[in-house]
Amino acid sequence: MIIYRAKDYNDLSRKAANIISAQVIMKPNCVLGLATGSSPEGMYAQLVDWYNKGDLDFAKVKSVNLDEYRGLSRENEQSYYYFMHKHLFDKVNIDMNNTYLPNGLAEDPEEECRRYDALIESLGGVDLQLLGMGHNGHIGFNEPGDHYDKGTHCVDLQQSTIEANKRFFASEDEVPRQAYTMGIGTIMKAKKILVIVSGAEKAEILKEALYGPITPQVPASVLQMHSDVIVIADEAALSAIK
Ligand code: F6R
């Protein structure tokens, strides 16, 4: 595991964008596993900037997102489909037919999970998986629990996640209670993993994830078992680690 210390959020965003760019330059038809949330917003803005300057070409890139709220349509501004289009897909030359997210409106959740796993498999797996980390140590929406789920599944969001994500919604009541997420097994199968973590409020959980016991109670701790992980965290997020 390589841990990069970024000065602040801007530095973190640029460092993370550099890793994604390197991947795209080295393998133009790579499969990127993408994440949403506050952590990668600056990174996506940096990638768009480099694309506009002619330094990056997404024409052959394929992407699979980690997760999507269950019950939100693509048009809903809080859906991850909407997020990805707003922050990246609509601003670069990626082929929309090569971008994939779970379908939040799928009628049969089990069938949707099977479809998504088969899709990832058919793409040959993920070359570089981007992850943020929840305040409770979740990755994707793999919440703390007593076991690791292997494949895509539909989860009940924990109260702490609903609290953390309500900032994006008009009220807490509007936060969906369920989401689709790639499983820990799929995340761990990615050839390379990039984790970005910002802010003092994540300092304790980041320390637990990187140096504590490997346990499904802290889902991100499983990353200690992966052979190719890069963590980029700002000084605030690294403040609990000596
Ligand atoms: C988002 C995702 C989540 C977030 C995590 C951190 O696609 O999978 O695991 O990465 O909740 O969210 P932020 O970055 O908003 O703190």
Side-chain angles (χ1 to χ4, degrees):
M1 183 180 287
I2 302 175
I3 303 175
Y4 286 114
R5 175 183 291 263
K7 279 196 295 290
D8 51 28
Y9 182 71
N10 283 343
D11 189 28
L12 173 153
S13 301
R14 210 172 42 253
K15 283 182 164 55
N18 262 310
I19 308 271
I20 303 271
S21 306
Q23 174 68 65
V24 170
I25 291 165
M26 286 194 297
K27 187 177 177 190
N29 63 345
C30 64
V31 178
L32 297 178
L34 297 177
T36 62
S38 307
S39 307
E41 280 187 20
M43 186 205 76
Y44 288 134
Q46 180 65 80
L47 289 173
V48 169
D49 185 41
W50 286 337
Y51 166 76
N52 286 333
K53 288 179 174 145
D55 291 338
L56 268 177
D57 182 4
F58 289 88
K60 293 184 185 151
V61 169
K62 290 165 243 166
S63 72
V64 280
N65 263 77
L66 271 174
D67 42 19
E68 177 61 284
Y69 287 117
R70 182 167 181 224
L72 296 194
S73 71
R74 293 172 160 192
E75 294 73 35
N76 189 306
E77 294 187 12
Q78 304 313 331
S79 73
Y80 288 171
Y81 178 96
Y82 193 96
F83 177 104
M84 288 309 305
H85 279 259
K86 179 174 165 195
H87 291 281
L88 187 68
F89 298 161
D90 292 349
K91 295 181 170 169
V92 299
N93 65 335
I94 196 165
D95 180 346
M96 298 303 167
N97 296 317
N98 287 336
T99 65
Y100 305 97
L101 289 100
N103 174 7
L105 293 184
E107 281 183 13
D108 179 343
E110 283 182 22
E111 176 52 34
E112 178 57 10
C113 294
R114 274 195 297 274
R115 180 194 73 82
Y116 206 61
D117 282 340
L119 170 82
I120 297 168
E121 198 74 30
S122 73
L123 295 174
V126 173
D127 289 299
L128 173 61
Q129 178 65 57
L130 172 70
L131 299 174
M133 194 181 293
H135 296 88
N136 58 5
H138 73 210
I139 47 177
F141 274 129
N142 292 280
E143 299 281 39
D146 56 10
H147 67 282
Y148 292 120
D149 285 283
K150 285 197 212 119
T152 304
H153 54 292
C154 186
V155 288
D156 294 330
L157 299 184
Q158 291 196 348
Q159 188 54 34
S160 61
T161 299
I162 293 168
E163 293 272 330
N165 289 4
K166 72 179 181 197
R167 67 191 193 279
F168 298 114
F169 292 81
S171 74
E172 188 180 320
D173 288 347
E174 287 185 25
V175 185
R177 269 33 188 181
Q178 287 188 315
Y180 291 103
T181 181
M182 272 186 205
I184 294 288
T186 311
I187 292 172
M188 290 295 280
K189 271 201 242 161
K191 296 182 186 81
K192 189 182 262 304
I193 297 181
L194 169 63
V195 192
I196 53 176
V197 190
S198 170
E201 69 283 1
K202 298 214 179 134
E204 280 305 323
I205 196 69
L206 180 61
K207 181 180 169 191
E208 269 189 68
L210 298 186
Y211 297 106
I214 297 166
T215 162
Q217 293 296 336
V218 181
S221 64
V222 76
L223 298 172
Q224 294 179 44
M225 308 263 280
H226 194 284
S227 60
D228 196 353
V229 178
I230 297 176
V231 178
I232 305 178
D234 56 20
E235 286 180 0
L238 287 169
S239 57
I241 299 169
K242 294 280 168 280

